[in-house]
Amino acid sequence: MPIWILFAGIVGGLLGFGALVDYIAKKRSIELDPEEGIKNASDAEQIYVKNYLYQTKENNNHFQ
């Protein structure tokens, strides 16, 4: 069996799983807000996450 068939099966499976999760979330009216999860973190964790997101954004804006 060629290796590309295996990779295509894995990618297809992951896409299918993502579509299934999205369908279930929409059916149950579940809203996923990334900002909601950080509210329950300590102050130090919030600072760390916000700093990490800022650095990631800056690095992506200045790639060569």
Side-chain angles (χ1 to χ4, degrees), residues 59-64:
N59 288 342
N60 287 338
N61 288 337
H62 300 293
F63 66 91
Q64 297 178 358

Side-chain angles (χ1 to χ4, degrees), residues 21-53:
V21 169
D22 189 45
Y23 172 75
I24 291 171
K26 285 182 182 179
K27 187 175 180 180
R28 294 183 182 177
S29 298
I30 298 173
E31 296 201 17
L32 304 173
D33 185 17
E35 294 294 326
E36 192 68 31
I38 195 65
K39 289 181 182 177
N40 298 326
S42 68
D43 290 340
E45 288 174 321
Q46 288 183 12
I47 292 169
Y48 175 79
V49 169
K50 288 180 182 180
N51 188 26
Y52 175 77
L53 292 174

